[in-house]
Amino acid sequence: MRTRYLAALPFAALIFLVLLGLLAGRGGSLTADLLPDTFRLSNGMDVVVISDHRAPVVTHMVWYEVGAADETPGTTGIAHFLEHLMFKGTDKIEPGQFSRIVARNGGQDNAFTHYDFTAYFQVIAKDRLSLVMEMEADRMSNLKLTDAEVLPERDVVLEELRMRIENDPAAELQSEMNAALYGGHPYGRDIIGHKAEIAALGTGDALDFYNRFYTPNNATLIVAGDVTADELKPLAEKYYGGIAERAPTFMRKRTQIVSPAEDKRVTRRDPRVDEATWIRFYPAPGYAGAGAEKGAALDVLGQILGGGTTSRLYRALVMEQGVATAVSAWYEGSRLDGGKFGFYALPQVGGGLEAVETAVEGEVARLLEEGVSDEEIERAKTVIVAGAVYARDNQRTMAYAYGEGLMTGMSTAEIHEWPDRVREVTKEDVLEAARSILAGTHSVTGELLPGGRS
């Protein structure tokens, strides 16, 4: 089953941890075969080639620099809706046949929508690379849509909203929290869009969005696997180079994020909830806005505070005080305009959220006052690397890491250098980063409770 809606993952920093894993096990240093080659086609399409010759397989991805945060008022959900419709066919490919053709050739395909981008990919044998390039280029320029395909798919999206948001009390809580955290900025609404606005979307809306944004000068091609830049360039020129620019390169003009002027609290009671949940979000810069040093320090801070059973919060709340059964903290920096730092905890059976909240605040205050130890910071770095080693052989994850980084304001060089930035983080860096987002700033706290709706 294709997953077409990509929520903003709470552990978005994983993409950079993946790169740490890719480098771990290779002596911890960059090697030439991991450095991507880049070039640009005459129509403005950027190309990134990540060579990995261990198996005759490639991951082919096309990233469009447009996402849910770029929608105009009244048409929320159109970015995700068009992602669905991109599988409806062209003159060459019948509706619904794209994925079937990929599967018949031994491959897998998928697509996902984010606030800052939309992406499509296929994983397939190297000798079928030209096939998927031809197909992807075809739907970049020749998508055919009619009401017969569009309107039933709109019902599919509405059902997806019901299943993923309306039928999930935790998702509803986080939706309200994001609205409180980001205010009028588009990050404050769900990627999937507002229900009433989705229901009003039609074929014309989809085609207008497609023609404005799905143009080669607004796209990046990333191919990872058993291919070199010399091999890929003529293929890219053949299949993508001849596609004309249908619209000017998109220049974003978004409203600025305005952080909460006071602490806010969102409480939901729901009969479907069995266990209470406590969540807190603090505004934080994204990786691009934070800069390499601070972004890496925030990743390390998240690991020290709540990154597993050796973290401060787990030891204090679960092992020592016994007020929680689970607790975590994380930094979400993979957003173009601004991220967040989050906390999550489940109280002990029979316990209340007040005790959990007090304990978390106590540990945060202690860190802000005392800082962190050399042992903690070294352990955090080690855990970050060890936890991502498994991903070093996954070319799809590697391609995603570069794609998401590039779409959210980073360069290929900055993505490559991220492991080094993490290794260079000091305890002073962590304390400075912690104080910048956790001291004197206002948070949004969420409480999910059993009981009647509120």
Side-chain angles (χ1 to χ4, degrees):
M1 179 178 178
R2 175 172 286 109
T3 302
R4 300 190 191 273
Y5 167 62
L6 181 70
L9 300 175
F11 298 97
L14 174 63
I15 65 164
F16 297 110
L17 308 189
V18 165
L19 291 176
L20 289 170
L22 287 165
L23 295 174
R26 294 200 181 202
S29 60
L30 285 168
T31 55
D33 62 320
L34 289 177
L35 291 170
D37 291 296
T38 62
F39 56 90
R40 177 172 290 178
L41 304 181
S42 59
N43 57 12
M45 187 175 188
D46 290 316
V47 183
V48 179
V49 187
I50 308 168
S51 297
D52 178 1
H53 303 293
R54 289 169 291 178
V57 178
V58 292
T59 295
H60 171 270
M61 309 186 82
V62 172
W63 299 71
Y64 292 97
E65 199 167 331
V66 62
D70 301 306
E71 298 160 340
T72 56
T75 62
T76 63
I78 187 64
H80 169 244
F81 186 31
L82 179 60
E83 180 210 315
H84 278 236
L85 297 175
M86 285 290 284
F87 292 84
K88 293 304 178 183
T90 65
D91 287 338
K92 294 181 179 180
I93 300 175
E94 292 294 321
Q97 290 300 308
F98 190 104
S99 296
R100 293 186 179 95
I101 294 171
V102 173
R104 283 201 302 269
N105 283 272
Q108 299 175 336
D109 76 312
N110 214 321
F112 42 87
T113 305
H114 185 272
Y115 286 107
D116 300 310
F117 56 81
T118 311
Y120 303 82
F121 75 87
Q122 302 83 38
V123 180
I124 203 159
K126 179 183 178 179
D127 63 3
R128 299 292 192 276
L129 174 59
S130 60
L131 170 67
V132 296
M133 292 182 75
E134 181 178 11
M135 292 168 60
E136 196 67 78
D138 179 38
R139 68 175 172 180
M140 178 186 285
S141 52
N142 300 310
L143 182 67
K144 300 296 182 183
L145 297 177
T146 67
D147 287 352
E149 289 90 28
V150 171
L151 301 185
E153 197 65 33
R154 185 178 64 191
D155 293 335
V156 172
V157 174
L158 288 168
E159 179 61 24
E160 186 176 349
L161 184 150
R162 284 189 287 270
M163 293 297 295
R164 292 180 178 270
I165 305 294
E166 296 179 344
N167 289 341
D168 186 342
E172 289 186 311
L173 174 69
Q174 292 195 55
S175 293
E176 292 186 50
M177 292 178 65
N178 284 329
L181 183 70
Y182 292 113
H185 190 278
Y187 290 169
R189 53 177 163 79
D190 292 318
I191 289 172
I192 202 167
H194 296 308
K195 188 173 185 177
E197 295 182 7
I198 297 170
L201 294 174
T203 303
D205 298 307
L207 288 173
D208 287 346
F209 195 84
Y210 171 76
N211 288 321
R212 173 63 187 91
F213 297 111
Y214 279 47
T215 176
N217 47 310
N218 202 46
T220 297
L221 169 66
I222 298 180
V223 180
D226 189 21
V227 65
T228 65
D230 288 341
E231 292 174 308
L232 186 69
K233 190 167 186 177
L235 294 174
E237 293 282 5
K238 177 181 179 180
Y239 295 111
Y240 292 106
I243 301 175
E245 300 179 20
R246 294 199 304 276
T249 301
F250 178 44
M251 304 299 291
R252 287 184 164 109
K253 295 180 181 179
R254 296 178 182 169
T255 58
Q256 187 174 0
I257 293 175
V258 179
S259 297
E262 60 183 4
D263 291 334
K264 298 183 179 181
R265 189 172 298 268
V266 179
T267 301
R268 290 188 65 88
R269 293 184 180 274
D270 196 296
R272 297 168 293 181
V273 173
D274 295 322
E275 295 182 290
T277 302
W278 181 87
I279 305 173
R280 177 168 288 175
F281 294 156
Y282 285 88
Y287 285 118
E293 292 182 3
K294 184 174 180 178
L298 286 168
D299 273 339
V300 175
L301 172 65
Q303 181 65 40
I304 290 173
L305 273 174
T309 57
T310 61
S311 69
R312 282 197 177 195
L313 290 174
Y314 189 91
R315 292 200 312 270
L317 275 68
V318 178
M319 299 177 65
E320 297 171 5
Q321 301 176 34
V323 297
T325 59
V327 62
S328 62
W330 69 92
Y331 166 54
E332 182 179 335
S334 294
R335 292 193 189 182
L336 188 62
D337 296 337
K340 62 189 173 189
F341 196 92
F343 295 89
Y344 164 90
L346 295 176
Q348 186 64 260
V349 176
L353 296 184
E354 297 83 359
V356 168
E357 182 172 311
T358 298
V360 170
E361 290 176 343
E363 288 304 308
V364 170
R366 184 167 71 88
L367 186 145
L368 293 174
E369 177 66 26
E370 302 175 3
V372 300
S373 67
D374 291 329
E375 180 183 358
E376 281 181 313
I377 198 168
E378 291 306 315
R379 181 169 62 239
K381 294 178 188 179
T382 301
V383 169
I384 287 173
V385 174
V389 164
Y390 78 93
R392 69 182 182 270
D393 293 325
N394 190 323
Q395 64 177 229
R396 171 180 159 185
T397 308
M398 182 163 51
Y400 183 89
Y402 280 98
E404 185 172 55
L406 290 170
M407 293 296 108
T408 53
M410 302 187 72
S411 68
T412 53
E414 288 172 324
I415 297 169
H416 269 299
E417 294 167 359
W418 200 261
D420 292 331
R421 300 293 82 75
V422 171
R423 294 186 184 98
E424 292 169 358
V425 171
T426 66
K427 59 184 181 181
E428 290 79 16
D429 294 331
V430 173
L431 179 57
E432 181 179 350
R435 287 174 173 168
S436 71
I437 63 168
L438 301 176
T441 56
H442 296 291
S443 64
V444 176
T445 301
E447 299 175 324
L448 186 61
L449 302 168
R453 294 182 181 273
S454 62

